[in-house]
Every structure is written in structure tokens, then in C-alpha cells.
Amino acid sequence: MFVFFNGSILEEDKVRISPFDRGFQFSDGVYEVIRYYPKKFFKLDLHIDRLKRSLSEIEIPSPAFDDLEFLLMELISKNNISEELSTAYIQITRGYQYPRRHNYSNDLVPTIFISVEKFPRKKDEMIDGIKVGIGEDTRWPRCDIKSTMLLAATLLNHRAVEKGLSELILHRNEKITEGTHTNLCFVKGNSVITPPLSNFILPGITRKVVLELCKVHGINFTEREISLSELAEFDEAFILGTTKEITPIIEIDGVKTKFNKPGHVCRKLQTEYSRLYNG
Ligand SMILES: Cc1ncc(COP(=O)(O)O)c(C=O)c1O
């Protein structure tokens, strides 16, 4: 596999990262995941903007990213996946620092790593829907930063998957935030409802695109706080994310929902979303 590491494209096994890199020692870094629909990266500009913001929020100097699209296409081509639905993963850490100390020097050189991977969509989930659970959001209160510090999210997700659930509806004090790796939308009547942007959720690119689709296609939407107690009243629910796109929820563990199959608002948004990357 060819990857990009600190300025060059090379074979994955030639990459050498110091154990004193702050990414390894402290999860001191940020990342992005971008979808490649043959032959284009979807909403790359929005992902770059979010990456720059994440870097700025944790005071890591940002690279220019001028040649990022070229570089990503080069990786796709060198790995022979030009015709495959894929993802690019970009990780930037604060870099090497020795001796290990919590406080960081301001003159560190960031470590930049990019890989691409064939990543088919889970068609059955997108068509038939998924079963999710409910979990307390135990993550730090800066979930608006796409940090590599994902331990709370991975533990929550792992335990959910072990119980046969695909995702969790996370909440803080009974107020719904997001999933472990997705944003959440609900439908009441014909209106889409989603939690508002705040420090407690990631400003998802899919969420942004879906809200724009609602605007364009005359679907009402509200960004507002949602209580767990409302789950039983919704007519539809779905998760949003770069690789999940728009995936319907058909069951919420422990909740007697009004729905048990994907709804028409979800189907309409799925169709319009697919037009964006096919068009
Ligand atoms: C916590 C969290 N929320 C939401 C999302 C969805 O964001 P996007 O649509 O930009 O992929 C992700 C994606 O990885 C995520 O990790």
C-alpha cells in the first residue's frame, strides 16, 4: 500500500514514526475522512475547512493544503483503486517531542500521514435500516474538534456492536448529542429535526449537505435540542456520515418507536444525496 508521509508518497512499511510523537503519546492530533466516489473526492473543500479549523482549535500550525487534491488522486491511482468507492484518511499530529511532557513546545514539526482505502458502502444497512441503542455521552466537551482522541467513542461503539447494535444515540443529561461516529436526524410529521451545532457535536459534512438538500427540496428542518423522551414520538430516524451517507434507523433498543422501517423523508434524502455524487 502506498501512503503519504511527511512530504513523500512511499510504501506503508517504509513509514517511520517516533514513539515520542505526541500523536502516539497523547493522541495529540486531528484527522479527516473523505469519501472518494469514482472519480472525485466528495466535498473536499468542506473537509479541508474543517481540518484547518480543528488544527487551529488545538494550535497546530496548518499546512497550505494547496496540492491536497492532486496528492489524494495520486494515492488513489498508485493504489489502483480509481474505479472503487474508497476513503482517504488524513491524520496530523503535533509531532515529535522529547522528553515526554504534557506541555508542548511551539516549534514542533507536525507529522502528516495520509492513506486511502477501498471502502464499499453497507448497502443492506442503507436499504433495510439499522438497530441502534442509547448511551451516555462520556466524551470530552469539545466534540466539535475532529480529534484522534477517540477512546470514549471507540469503547461506546465497541460495546454497542457486541450487543448487535450498529450505532448509539448518545445523550448528555437526557439531551441527544450525536452518534459515536455519525450525526443524528429525526422526522416528525414531514419535518426533519437535528440537534444544533455546539461544542458537543461534530459539525458533520453530511449533516451540512443534508440540511442544504432539505432547503433545496422544500423539506422543513429545525436545529434544536432533543430530549430522549421524544424518541417514542418520532416518525423516522436516520444517521449521517461520510461513509454511512444517510442510513435509516428502524429500531431503537428499549424504545417503542412509531416506526419499524425506513420512512419516505429518509428515502427522498437518500435519492437526492446520491444525485450529488453521481452528478
Ligand atoms: C462523532 C462524529 N459525528 C459525526 C460524524 C459525521 O461527520 P461527516 O458527515 O463529516 O463524516 C463523524 C464522522 O466521522 C463523527 O466521528
Side-chain angles (χ1 to χ4, degrees), residues 50 139 146 178 180-183 202 204-206 240-242:
R50 186 170 66 185
R139 302 169 305 161
K146 202 163 168 63
E178 59 180 340
T180 61
H181 59 301
T182 57
N183 290 117
L202 186 78
I205 307 299
T206 319
L240 307 174
T242 289

Side-chain angles (χ1 to χ4, degrees), residues 78-225:
K78 275 187 106 62
N79 286 292
N80 291 320
I81 51 173
S82 301
E83 303 303 327
E84 311 280 349
L85 187 57
S86 304
T87 54
Y89 175 89
I90 305 176
Q91 177 167 335
I92 304 182
T93 76
R94 200 179 301 280
Y96 169 89
Q97 182 181 27
Y98 185 85
R100 183 188 183 281
R101 297 285 181 270
H102 276 55
N103 65 312
Y104 47 85
S105 334
N106 289 320
D107 57 355
L108 302 182
V109 180
T111 302
I112 307 179
F113 173 75
I114 308 177
S115 60
V116 292
E117 181 191 348
K118 206 190 314 184
F119 203 119
R121 58 167 72 77
K122 289 196 172 165
K123 256 196 200 151
D124 50 337
E125 292 193 344
M126 288 174 66
I127 295 169
D128 302 333
I130 55 168
K131 180 175 173 181
V132 306
I134 296 175
E136 192 186 336
D137 196 339
T138 49
R139 302 169 305 161
W140 75 326
R142 286 306 308 274
C143 298
D144 55 314
I145 299 170
K146 202 163 168 63
S147 157
T148 55
M149 189 186 60
L150 290 168
L151 194 52
T154 56
L155 284 174
L156 284 162
N157 184 270
H158 181 79
R159 288 173 191 152
V161 170
E162 281 197 325
K163 281 200 230 157
L165 305 166
S166 300
E167 179 53 299
L168 286 177
I169 294 174
L170 298 177
H171 69 94
R172 288 183 195 256
N173 302 320
E174 310 270 311
K175 298 282 181 229
I176 292 170
T177 53
E178 59 180 340
T180 61
H181 59 301
T182 57
N183 290 117
L184 300 170
C185 269
F186 304 93
V187 176
K188 197 169 183 179
N190 286 316
S191 293
V192 169
I193 307 164
T194 192
L197 293 182
S198 73
N199 52 308
F200 294 125
I201 72 167
L202 186 78
I205 307 299
T206 319
R207 177 187 182 281
K208 186 177 168 67
V209 171
V210 163
L211 293 187
E212 274 161 16
L213 283 176
C214 287
K215 234 183 252 174
V216 171
H217 296 281
I219 302 169
N220 279 333
F221 69 88
T222 322
E223 295 168 88
R224 66 156 172 88
E225 280 198 340

